[in-house]
Amino acid sequence: MSTTIQEQIEKLRAELHEYNYHYYTLDKSTISDFEFDSKLKALQQLENENPDFFDANSPTQRVGGGITKNFETIVHKNRMYSLDNSYSKEDLLDWETRIKKVIEGPVEYTCELKYDGASINITYENGVLIKAVTRGDGFQGDNVTNNIKTINTLPLKLQGSFLDSFEIRGEIVLPLQGFEQMNKERLAVGEEPYANPRNTASGSLKLQDSLEVAKRPLECLLYQVVADQKLFETHATMLENARAAGFHVPTDLFVAKSIDEVISFVERWDMERANLPYETDGVVIKVNSLRQQDELGFTAKAPRWAIAYKFKTEQQATVLNEISYQVGRTGAITPVANLVPVALGGTVVRRASLHNADQISKLDIRIGDTVFVEKGGEIIPKIVGVDLTQRPVNSVPTVYISNCPECEAELVRTEGDAKHFCPNEFGCPPQITGRIQHFISRKAMDIEGLGGETVDLLRKEGLISNYADLYELTLEQIIPLERMAEKSAQNMLAGIQKSLEIPFEKVLFALGIRFVGETVAKKLAKHFKSMEALMNASFEELVKVDEIGDRIAESIVAFSKDALNRDLVARLRTYGVQLEVSAESLVGKTEKLEGAVFVVSGVFHKMSRNELKKAIEDNGGKVSSSISKKTNYVVAGENMGPSKLEKASSLGVPIISEDDFIKML
Ligand code: AMP
Ligand code: ZN
C-alpha cells in the first residue's frame, strides 16, 4: 500500500500541528528541534511542488513571508466593546448593586488578569482559523491574519471538537524576557530601544512583512469566546473548553462567589504580578453565567456584566540626588537619575532612566527635586514628574553635559537623534571595551575563554585598545594578570586562534559597524563577498542592495573611509581573520544538514552516488543504508527499488529528488 502525495502532506500537517501544540501550548517537547525543522521543510517542499494542495492553515504558514501593503478593513460580526473601570472595593460593590437590580438570586464572578497588549478578534469555522482582525474602533478593524498566524501558541487547527463557528478574543502581548532580548539586539547595533512591550506588541501586528513578525516572540492570551451556538452555561467552562481545544487561556482564571473573593484575588495579584512573564494592568471581572450576561446586556460603550479593576500605578516620591551619565558601546549617552532609595513594586529603587536631554528639560528636572518615580511598561523605572511645591529655593536648572564623562570629548547630537553621542570611538574607554566585548560575543567571533570582564582588565592594563590587538596577545603578557591561571591564559589564546575559522558574515557583524546587525551583515556578505569589495562600495552601490537603506549605507561608507578602521581591517587580514566568503562555504562544507539522516537510492545524473553521499556528509548530514523511522529524507534517483519506495511512503519519510537535494544546499 503506498500513500499519495496528498496523504503525505496531510500526515505531515497533522503531525506538525500536534508537535506545535505540545511544544508551545503545553510546553512539552515531543520531538527534537531538528526533526521538527526537517519535517517542516519536507512539508514546505511538498507544498511548493503541489500547489493544488495549498492550505492557508498549514503549519508552514507560521514562518511568515507574506507582505501586506495595506491592511484590509473588516467589520466585526460582534462589536468589540470597551470595559468600564473600577478602582476600589466601593466601585465593585456599586457595580454589584447595579447587577442585583436586574438579576435575582446568586451571581458568580470570574476573575482574570487584564493583560496589557493589543486586542485581537479571531474567527474560527469548522475547527480552522479563518481570520484575525484588530480591535480598531470596536466596530471595524484591520485584517492582520497573516501576521497573527506566525504566533506559535495560537492554533491554526483546533484539537478535538469545540464550537462550529465562533469568534475568540484575546490580547497579543510581548513577554518581558523577549522584549528585553529584542532591545539588547537593537542596542548592540546602535539602535534606539523600544519604549515598552505593549506598544511594541501592537506595532508588530501592523508590520508589513510577516517574516519580521515571525521573529518576534509574541504570545496570544485568550479571554473571551463569542458564539451563537449555546453549548456552555458559564464563561469559565467556555474558556476551559477553549483551552482544551488548544488555545492559550491563562490559568489564573478564578471563579469568585462574592465581591470579597474578588477583592482577595485583586490583592493577591497586585503583589504577584511582578513575577509574571507579561505585563498586567488590572483584573477583569465578569458575571460567570452566560444567561445572566445576556440578561444584563450592554450600555452604549461596555458590557454591564463585566468591569475592569485597575491596579494602582506604582508611583513613589523621592529625592533626586544626582544625575550621572552613562556611555554605551556605540557612544550613546544615557542620563541616569540617582535617587534616595525608595520601595516600589516590591523592590528598592535607587536609579531611574532619564532617557535624554529633551526629557530632562521637558519636565524641568533638577538636582534636589522631589520627583515621582513610576514602574510602568519599562523595565527600568522612570521619572514621570516633579513635585514643584518641594523644590528647594536655591535650585538651578539642569545643564546637560557637553563633554563625555569618560574621555572629555565634545559630545555631538545629529538631527533626528534623541541622544547625544561621544564621537571619540577609538579613545573613549567604554566604547573601546564595549566594541571588543561585542567582537568576542557568541553571535560574533564567539571567542571562548575570554569574557567581558577580562576584556576590560586587558584594556586597563594597556594590553589591548582595539579588537585587532587581541591577535597579538602572548602568554607572557597575560599570565601575570590578576587571577589568571596558566591554563586559562592558554584557553584564552586558543579561543582567539580558533576565531580565525569564523566565517566572513559573522566577522562583518563582529566589526561593530553601526546599524550592521546580524541579518544585515549576512546580506552584505552574500552580496559583496569580501570586506574589500564592501569597503570600496559607494553609497549608491550600497543602497541598491536589498534591504540596505540610506542610514546603513551612510554608516558603512563612514566606517570604510576612516583611516583607523582601514588599518584595523588590514591588521585582521594579516592575522588570518576571514574577510571574504570562503570558497568552501559556497560549494563544500557547511552545517546545513546537521544531524539529518539520509538514505540514497537509485541512479543519479548530476553527480555520482558517492559524490552525493560525500555532499551529505560534508554538510553535516548522515548517510544510512536502510530506511527507518529515524530517516529524515530519501534521495531518490532513477530506478529506486520498489521496496524502499514503499517503506518510505508507509513511514511518511519525504522522498526528494536529486534537484531537491541540490536546492537544500
Ligand atoms: P480598555 O481598553 O481599558 O477599555 O479595556 C478593555 C480591553 O482590555 C479589551 O479591549 C481587551 O483588549 C483588554 N483585556 C485584557 N485582558 C482582558 C480580559 N481578561 N478580559 C477582557 N478584556 C481584557
Ligand atoms: Zn567618550
Side-chain angles (χ1 to χ4, degrees):
M1 184 199 69
S2 75
T3 41
T4 63
I5 301 244
Q6 185 174 11
E7 281 163 343
Q8 278 183 47
I9 289 182
E10 273 161 15
K11 180 156 182 284
L12 280 168
R13 282 179 185 159
E15 282 177 4
L16 286 163
H17 278 308
E18 184 77 16
Y19 294 140
N20 193 83
Y21 170 68
H22 279 270
Y23 188 76
Y24 289 104
T25 307
L26 303 184
D27 211 9
K28 278 189 231 139
S29 185
T30 50
I31 173 175
S32 75
D33 288 357
F34 177 76
E35 271 176 279
F36 185 90
D37 285 347
S38 56
K39 287 202 192 243
L40 191 67
K41 273 191 200 136
L43 175 59
Q44 186 110 54
Q45 181 124 20
L46 286 170
E47 288 180 350
N48 289 348
E49 285 163 5
N50 303 282
D52 286 353
F53 300 132
F54 175 80
D55 173 2
N57 287 314
S58 166
T60 53
Q61 300 300 305
R62 288 201 190 277
V63 294
I67 302 273
T68 314
K69 279 257 151 30
N70 294 301
F71 293 96
E72 173 199 9
T73 305
I74 292 192
V75 176
H76 295 300
K77 183 166 169 233
N78 298 288
R79 180 174 159 194
M80 291 181 82
Y81 283 87
S82 195
L83 288 174
D84 286 333
N85 286 326
S86 61
Y87 301 90
S88 63
K89 183 171 176 182
E90 288 65 49
D91 289 350
L92 288 178
L93 290 171
D94 286 348
W95 177 57
E96 181 170 56
T97 309
R98 295 198 294 277
I99 289 173
K100 292 280 163 99
K101 278 189 191 146
V102 182
I103 307 286
E104 275 173 39
V107 179
E108 278 181 352
Y109 304 100
T110 58
C111 303
E112 295 159 52
L113 292 178
K114 185 169 189 291
Y115 289 105
D116 203 11
S119 36
I120 192 83
N121 185 27
I122 313 164
T123 305
Y124 284 79
E125 271 162 32
N126 305 315
V128 298
L129 186 150
I130 302 294
K131 63 183 178 217
V133 181
T134 61
R135 178 187 148 124
D137 61 3
F139 294 97
Q140 55 182 38
D142 291 323
N143 182 351
V144 291
T145 312
N146 284 336
N147 285 348
I148 290 297
K149 279 185 188 166
T150 66
I151 301 174
N152 286 308
T153 50
L154 188 71
L156 301 179
K157 253 188 148 106
L158 301 186
Q159 304 275 326
S161 69
F162 188 52
L163 298 158
D164 300 336
S165 164
F166 62 95
E167 292 177 336
I168 188 159
R169 289 163 181 186
E171 203 78 358
I172 307 288
V173 299
L174 195 54
L176 292 167
Q177 211 188 348
F179 174 72
E180 275 175 80
Q181 183 58 33
M182 276 173 73
N183 270 350
K184 250 191 224 150
E185 284 166 18
R186 285 178 74 81
L187 282 167
V189 295
E191 292 189 286
E192 281 279 307
Y194 290 117
N196 62 54
R198 189 202 32 225
N199 293 353
T200 315
S202 71
S204 302
L205 295 188
K206 303 293 281 294
L207 290 176
Q208 294 190 339
D209 184 354
S210 58
L211 268 177
E212 283 305 312
V213 187
K215 285 189 204 151
R216 299 193 173 182
L218 298 168
E219 280 265 14
C220 181
L221 308 173
L222 287 315
Y223 54 70
Q224 192 83 43
V225 179
V226 189
D228 297 333
Q229 219 179 343
K230 301 276 178 255
L231 268 191
F232 306 105
E233 281 184 16
T234 65
H235 173 64
T237 45
M238 186 144 75
L239 281 187
E240 273 149 19
N241 279 278
R243 187 187 296 131
F247 289 105
H248 188 342
V249 174
T251 47
D252 44 68
L253 179 79
F254 171 74
V255 181
K257 301 250 184 285
S258 66
I259 293 296
D260 277 332
E261 285 187 20
V262 171
I263 289 292
S264 314
F265 182 91
V266 167
E267 281 169 356
R268 179 157 69 85
W269 280 103
D270 197 4
M271 299 298 292
E272 275 180 33
R273 69 189 166 118
N275 306 321
L276 282 171
Y278 325 98
E279 299 198 302
T280 55
D281 58 349
V283 171
V284 181
I285 303 122
K286 297 168 188 165
V287 169
N288 193 23
S289 153
L290 297 178
R291 191 184 44 78
Q292 291 178 345
Q293 285 190 5
D294 278 345
E295 276 178 65
L296 287 159
F298 298 83
T299 66
K301 167 182 159 274
R304 288 197 188 86
W305 45 264
I307 196 161
Y309 184 102
K310 292 269 173 133
F311 289 131
K312 283 172 202 68
T313 320
E314 299 167 85
Q315 197 182 76
Q316 283 296 337
T318 187
V319 173
L320 172 62
N321 276 338
E322 194 197 348
I323 298 176
S324 57
Y325 296 85
Q326 285 180 347
V327 188
R329 175 175 80 77
T330 56
I333 308 289
T334 305
V336 178
N338 297 279
L339 307 162
V340 172
V342 60
L344 185 66
T347 56
V348 175
V349 173
R350 294 186 166 80
R351 288 146 69 83
S353 171
L354 288 167
H355 301 291
N356 52 48
D358 290 345
Q359 186 72 11
I360 294 176
S361 64
K362 200 173 85 194
L363 298 175
D364 186 20
I365 297 171
R366 304 179 184 192
I367 289 170
D369 270 348
T370 295
V371 293
F372 297 112
V373 193
E374 220 178 78
K375 243 187 184 168
E378 293 77 12
I379 285 86
I380 308 165
K382 63 177 177 189
I383 289 180
V384 291
V386 176
D387 184 352
L388 291 176
T389 64
Q390 304 285 323
R391 176 164 281 173
V393 279
N394 57 353
S395 123
V396 286
T398 298
V399 182
Y400 204 78
I401 50 167
S402 55
N403 291 77
C404 176
E406 300 276 350
C407 75
E408 305 284 309
E410 196 173 326
L411 299 181
V412 294
R413 187 178 183 182
T414 36
E415 238 190 79
D417 253 336
K419 293 206 155 176
H420 286 68
F421 279 86
C422 165
N424 186 14
E425 267 185 78
F426 296 101
C428 184
Q431 295 192 60
I432 296 171
T433 304
R435 201 162 329 100
I436 303 173
Q437 284 169 340
H438 170 71
F439 184 81
I440 66 166
S441 64
R442 202 173 48 79
K443 288 184 171 177
M445 301 303 276
D446 193 17
I447 296 185
E448 276 174 38
L450 177 58
E453 279 174 28
T454 312
V455 167
D456 204 35
L457 181 66
L458 292 167
R459 181 191 59 75
K460 283 196 185 122
E461 294 290 330
L463 294 177
I464 54 173
S465 58
N466 55 57
Y467 37 65
D469 290 346
L470 290 172
Y471 296 91
E472 292 198 357
L473 286 172
T474 62
L475 266 187
E476 294 71 47
Q477 285 177 320
I478 46 187
I479 289 176
L481 295 182
E482 218 180 307
R483 273 176 303 169
M484 183 64 76
E486 183 161 345
K487 184 79 192 135
S488 29
Q490 277 166 351
N491 286 344
M492 182 171 133
L493 291 190
I496 295 174
Q497 223 37 48
K498 191 140 192 292
S499 73
L500 298 179
E501 290 163 20
I502 295 292
F504 173 51
E505 56 181 47
K506 292 200 171 170
V507 176
L508 182 53
F509 172 60
L511 296 179
I513 305 172
R514 200 165 177 220
F515 305 131
V516 178
E518 253 185 305
T519 330
V520 171
K522 265 191 200 143
K523 289 239 153 73
L524 291 169
K526 207 166 149 201
H527 186 92
F528 289 99
K529 307 225 162 30
S530 75
M531 194 59 199
E532 192 173 1
L534 175 67
M535 289 179 88
N536 289 332
S538 67
F539 177 85
E540 289 72 27
E541 284 166 318
L542 284 161
V543 288
K544 266 194 224 135
V545 182
D546 186 32
E547 284 186 44
I548 304 300
D550 291 6
R551 208 174 55 141
I552 300 173
E554 264 164 31
S555 163
I556 293 166
V557 170
F559 177 92
S560 309
K561 264 205 324 230
D562 189 294
L564 281 164
N565 284 327
R566 299 194 75 92
D567 181 52
L568 284 178
V569 171
R571 281 177 60 200
L572 291 179
R573 181 170 294 121
T574 65
Y575 306 132
V577 172
Q578 306 283 321
L579 291 171
E580 47 201 60
V581 177
S582 71
E584 270 189 359
S585 77
L586 293 176
V587 285
K589 299 183 177 118
T590 73
E591 278 159 39
K592 282 190 185 136
L593 309 177
E594 183 72 11
V597 180
F598 288 78
V599 170
V600 176
S601 179
V603 180
F604 300 91
H605 298 284
K606 299 203 170 136
M607 47 176 112
S608 74
R609 212 199 268 239
N610 277 337
E611 280 171 338
L612 200 126
K613 288 185 178 171
K614 184 168 180 309
I616 292 171
E617 281 165 357
D618 277 352
N619 290 288
K622 281 202 203 82
V623 181
S624 162
S625 54
S626 63
I627 298 172
S628 73
K629 267 177 21 196
K630 296 220 175 86
T631 313
N632 297 105
Y633 299 99
V634 174
V635 190
E638 239 168 68
N639 301 327
M640 172 176 169
S643 63
K644 279 197 169 157
L645 189 66
E646 196 174 305
K647 182 121 198 239
S649 307
S650 69
L651 290 172
V653 177
I655 300 172
I656 64 174
S657 68
E658 188 179 4
D659 285 333
D660 296 336
F661 174 75
I662 293 168
K663 265 189 239 149
M664 277 170 94
L665 295 181

